């Protein structure tokens, strides 16, 4: 029986690198995979999953209306694994759809994403994956202010100051976000 896996962390923990390495392992064994990336990310990356260390692979861009089960069923053609990058952007229904891919099509689904947003709140896709995934795996990184495990992320403005309000989704990298442990998140944001 295929399973749904959720690999989660803050930014800079190597989620995309781990996804691309796992995909490479399938490809090395002549197995077919399908890679997906949210359209918000795909538009800025040329439709590719790109890791900070320079690995990349082409992916199918999806929006909030994308129907995974229906499309994967039509694309199946001996697909051995499904990979989803930035899984926090999935809708609740899409997570359920992906679990249907594992349950009915017997294809493993590997989701990689951020657990919480810059206000310390769960993303919709992450919350649903935490609730129904068969396997949960935390990928670890360190706080940018100490040597403790980072579990939170803060958003920065153009001047490098912490932002406490705004749109839930704002695509960016190290120039826009900083990883922190809970203690430093509390000190910097006063949100918890």
């Amino acid at each position: 029986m295929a399973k749904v896996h959720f690999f989660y962390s803050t930014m800079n923990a190597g989620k995309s690198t781990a996804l691309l390495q796992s995909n490479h392992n399938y490809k090395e064994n002549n197995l077919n995979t399908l890679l997906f990336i949210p359209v918000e990310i795909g538009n800025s990356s040329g439709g590719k999953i790109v890791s900070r260390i320079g690995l990349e692979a082409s992916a199918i861009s999806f929006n909030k209306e994308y129907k995974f089960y229906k499309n994967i069923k039509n694309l199946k053609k001996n697909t051995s694994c499904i990979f989803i990058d930035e899984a926090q952007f999935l809708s609740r229904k899409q997570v359920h759809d992906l679990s249907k891919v594992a349950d009915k099509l017997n294809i493993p689904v590997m989701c990689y994403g951020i657990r919480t947003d810059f206000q310390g709140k769960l993303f919709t896709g992450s919350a649903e994956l935490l609730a129904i995934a068969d396997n949960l795996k935390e990928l670890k990184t360190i706080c940018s202010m100490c040597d403790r495990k980072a579990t939170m992320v803060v958003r920065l403005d153009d001047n490098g100051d912490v932002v406490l309000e705004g749109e839930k989704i704002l695509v960016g990298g190290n120039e826009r976000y900083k990883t922190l442990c809970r203690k430093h998140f509390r000190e910097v944001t006063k949100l918890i």
Side-chain angles (χ1 to χ4, degrees), residues 7-156:
F7 300 85
Y8 65 93
S9 186
T10 63
M11 295 182 69
N12 296 325
K15 293 177 299 301
S16 296
T17 302
L19 180 156
L20 293 168
Q21 179 62 54
S22 292
N23 181 60
H24 174 76
N25 293 343
Y26 276 87
K27 296 293 190 185
E28 282 284 297
N29 288 297
N30 296 314
L31 298 171
N32 296 322
T33 60
L34 292 173
L35 282 66
F36 292 90
I37 191 165
V39 70
E40 297 91 344
I41 307 295
N43 286 344
S44 62
S45 70
K48 293 182 178 187
I49 295 172
V50 180
S51 75
R52 285 184 171 79
I53 64 169
L55 302 174
E56 62 180 48
S58 295
I60 300 166
S61 291
F62 68 89
N63 61 23
K64 291 288 186 202
E65 286 75 45
Y66 192 84
K67 295 180 181 359
F68 283 96
Y69 180 76
K70 176 184 171 191
N71 288 304
I72 290 169
K73 187 176 178 184
N74 293 335
L75 293 170
K76 189 177 178 188
K77 298 178 189 151
N78 299 320
T79 301
S80 295
C81 192
I82 305 297
F83 290 95
I84 311 289
D85 199 24
E86 305 292 350
Q88 69 271 15
F89 294 129
L90 293 167
S91 70
R92 191 170 178 267
K93 183 169 179 10
Q94 287 174 320
V95 171
H96 293 185
D97 221 24
L98 287 165
S99 70
K100 192 173 170 184
V101 168
D103 296 344
K104 292 194 171 205
L105 301 178
N106 200 33
I107 302 172
V109 177
M110 311 281 263
C111 298
Y112 296 76
I114 297 171
R115 187 175 56 129
T116 59
D117 67 12
F118 72 105
Q119 295 175 322
K121 297 177 182 166
L122 288 170
F123 281 99
T124 301
S126 300
E128 204 59 29
L129 283 163
L130 287 167
I132 71 166
D134 299 293
N135 291 317
L136 301 172
K137 173 78 174 170
E138 182 180 22
L139 302 176
K140 297 172 181 75
T141 191
I142 58 170
C143 176
S144 60
M145 295 176 70
C146 70
D147 62 354
R148 292 170 46 168
K149 180 177 82 168
T151 57
M152 313 297 279
V153 63
V154 291
R155 183 181 291 167
L156 307 173

Side-chain angles (χ1 to χ4, degrees), residues 154-163 170 174-178:
V154 291
R155 183 181 291 167
L156 307 173
D157 64 16
D158 293 336
N159 298 319
D161 296 321
V162 173
V163 176
L170 178 64
N174 292 340
E175 80 290 348
R176 186 65 59 200
Y177 293 97
K178 188 161 93 170

